[in-house]
Amino acid sequence: MPRFIVAYLAVLAGAAFGASFSFVQPLAAQQVGVAGAVNPASQAILRGTVRVLELGAPIIYNEHLHTSSAGSLQVLFIDKTTLSVGPSSDLTIDSYVYDPQKQSGKMALTLGKGILRVVGGNVTHTGGATITTPVATIGVRGGIATVSYQPKRPSRRK
């Protein structure tokens, strides 16, 4: 069975049974999902600590996710929301609240640059998700959304 499917099934099973994922984490770190697919050169940065992401790695609330020009990442949140992050992207998980008993919650993300695709789970179908870029704030309610932001390069004047 492909490793992606195994990681995805583990997240779904944990969410279905209200399990909290327990990995060795810094104090007060809240796991919100796992890396379901990772291409090389994807990193997570939390309170100044940088780690290279691997398949099945925990994704933590308030973590900054970064992909290089060759990297990409898929995050499987505990509510079954899927987030695909494209190359050359910077993303921060600003907030994530999910109540598995009520199967509801909300999330807020900041996309500094790059591209991402959200496939809705329980959070986006109930409380919704908000994605903030330097130029806009987008609300996602259910369904699928793709958001892209590429900062303009300053023009050179002669």
Side-chain angles (χ1 to χ4, degrees):
M1 185 177 296
R3 291 168 54 184
F4 166 76
I5 293 173
V6 172
Y8 186 71
L9 292 175
V11 170
L12 292 179
F17 293 106
S20 63
F21 297 91
S22 59
F23 295 88
V24 177
Q25 301 172 5
L27 185 60
Q30 175 193 356
Q31 182 175 346
V32 298
V34 297
V38 181
N39 284 336
S42 296
Q43 299 177 329
I45 305 163
L46 182 64
R47 295 190 282 275
T49 302
V50 178
R51 63 188 171 103
V52 175
L53 290 172
E54 297 176 350
L55 182 67
I59 302 297
I60 309 299
Y61 157 77
N62 207 26
E63 197 160 42
H64 176 81
L65 305 174
H66 172 77
T67 59
S68 73
S69 60
S72 64
L73 169 67
Q74 185 178 53
V75 178
L76 305 170
F77 286 90
I78 59 175
D79 71 298
K80 303 175 190 165
T81 295
T82 303
L83 180 70
S84 299
V85 183
S88 301
S89 296
D90 287 312
L91 176 76
T92 302
I93 302 168
D94 297 314
S95 72
Y96 182 86
V97 178
Y98 179 64
D99 182 345
Q101 302 299 329
K102 295 180 182 177
Q103 295 188 345
S104 65
K106 62 182 179 175
M107 74 167 45
L109 310 168
T110 298
L111 180 64
K113 69 173 184 170
I115 186 166
L116 65 88
R117 182 175 191 239
V118 178
V119 177
N122 290 329
V123 164
T124 60
H125 286 90
T126 57
T130 303
I131 303 167
T132 302
T133 71
V135 296
T137 299
I138 299 100
V140 180
R141 304 295 181 263
I144 299 171
T146 301
V147 178
S148 175
Y149 173 72
Q150 297 299 327
K152 289 185 178 181
R153 294 183 183 194
S155 61
R156 292 185 171 179
R157 293 186 177 198
K158 293 183 179 183

